[in-house]
Amino acid sequence: EIGGTWTILNSRLTSSIFKSMTQNEISYNPATGYNYNSVYQTNRSGILFDIASSVGSLWNIGAGGKYQKSYYANGPYAGNAIPIVPDTLLNARANYLITSNWTAGGVVNYVSNQHYDTGPSYYSASPVMPSYVVGDIFTSYKYQAIEAKFTIKNVGNAQYSTYGTAPMPPSTKYSYYPSEPRSVYLMLKYSFH
């Protein structure tokens, strides 16, 4: 991996390019329900970036992401994508300072489509898992040693999944594991000095 960080006006940009080659990777076999060490090499390469900016004294905004290609490098599935690995991850975020103690903000995440977890030889016959967008919002308060944070995750109540299996003959059933619906979290913290 090689990269750097640059500061331009009120913005900080961090970016890198990467490449990895993995052997004996532990994988899950949905046909047997067991993990195994893959005998094939897997390669991953891509680019990461993140930019954060201050807009005046009250706003902080940012965006980031990763674009990658992940594939089997050798064996009978050489060139095929690795399942459950999306190519593109993006995020946008904002934070607003209401007072010196109160802040509010949010983040929106995008995940591109990806292959179901199935044998690589069945990729061409299987549809891909759909891409999705999920947003969270929060407000936080800090006073001396007390900190509180109220968060609504998946504020739009999007229906999506980060994992699913596609059938391998003779099965014809897809398994789709839904992620959390809209959820509310409250965190209270006290720091002893």
Side-chain angles (χ1 to χ4, degrees):
E1 182 174 12
I2 186 169
T5 300
W6 301 268
T7 302
I8 304 166
L9 299 174
N10 292 328
S11 299
R12 181 182 169 111
L13 172 66
T14 302
S15 183
S16 65
I17 56 174
F18 65 89
K19 182 170 181 68
S20 69
M21 294 164 279
T22 307
Q23 295 177 329
N24 299 313
E25 184 172 23
I26 297 173
S27 298
Y28 173 74
N29 185 341
T32 64
Y34 295 105
N35 291 334
Y36 69 99
N37 284 76
S38 175
V39 297
Y40 308 120
Q41 179 176 309
T42 56
N43 288 0
R44 293 171 173 83
S45 58
I47 183 169
L48 296 162
F49 76 91
D50 188 82
I51 185 167
S53 300
S54 296
V55 181
S57 60
L58 302 178
W59 282 98
N60 286 307
I61 59 172
K66 174 168 73 171
Y67 177 77
Q68 68 178 348
K69 284 295 183 184
S70 303
Y71 58 93
Y72 291 98
N74 58 11
Y77 310 123
N80 285 14
I82 299 170
I84 312 300
V85 180
D87 285 347
T88 307
L89 305 169
L90 299 172
N91 72 73
R93 56 198 185 275
N95 194 43
Y96 179 71
L97 184 65
I98 301 168
T99 69
S100 59
N101 302 101
W102 278 101
T103 60
V107 61
V108 176
N109 292 295
Y110 166 80
V111 178
S112 67
N113 57 20
Q114 55 196 304
H115 288 283
Y116 282 94
D117 200 356
T118 189
S121 58
Y122 298 108
Y123 285 173
S124 61
S126 298
V128 293
M129 293 174 59
S131 62
Y132 57 90
V133 176
V134 179
D136 304 336
I137 57 173
F138 70 89
T139 184
S140 63
Y141 177 79
K142 187 171 184 179
Y143 178 73
Q144 294 180 358
I146 299 171
E147 186 177 346
K149 187 171 184 179
F150 178 77
T151 305
I152 303 175
K153 289 191 165 287
N154 190 5
V155 69
N157 204 27
Q159 295 181 346
Y160 68 101
S161 177
T162 58
Y163 183 78
T165 61
M168 289 187 283
S171 175
T172 58
K173 294 183 180 179
Y174 283 84
S175 298
Y176 186 80
Y177 301 90
S179 292
E180 290 288 324
R182 183 184 300 120
S183 306
V184 176
Y185 297 88
L186 177 62
M187 182 273 295
L188 293 171
K189 183 169 89 173
Y190 181 83
S191 300
F192 294 94
H193 297 283

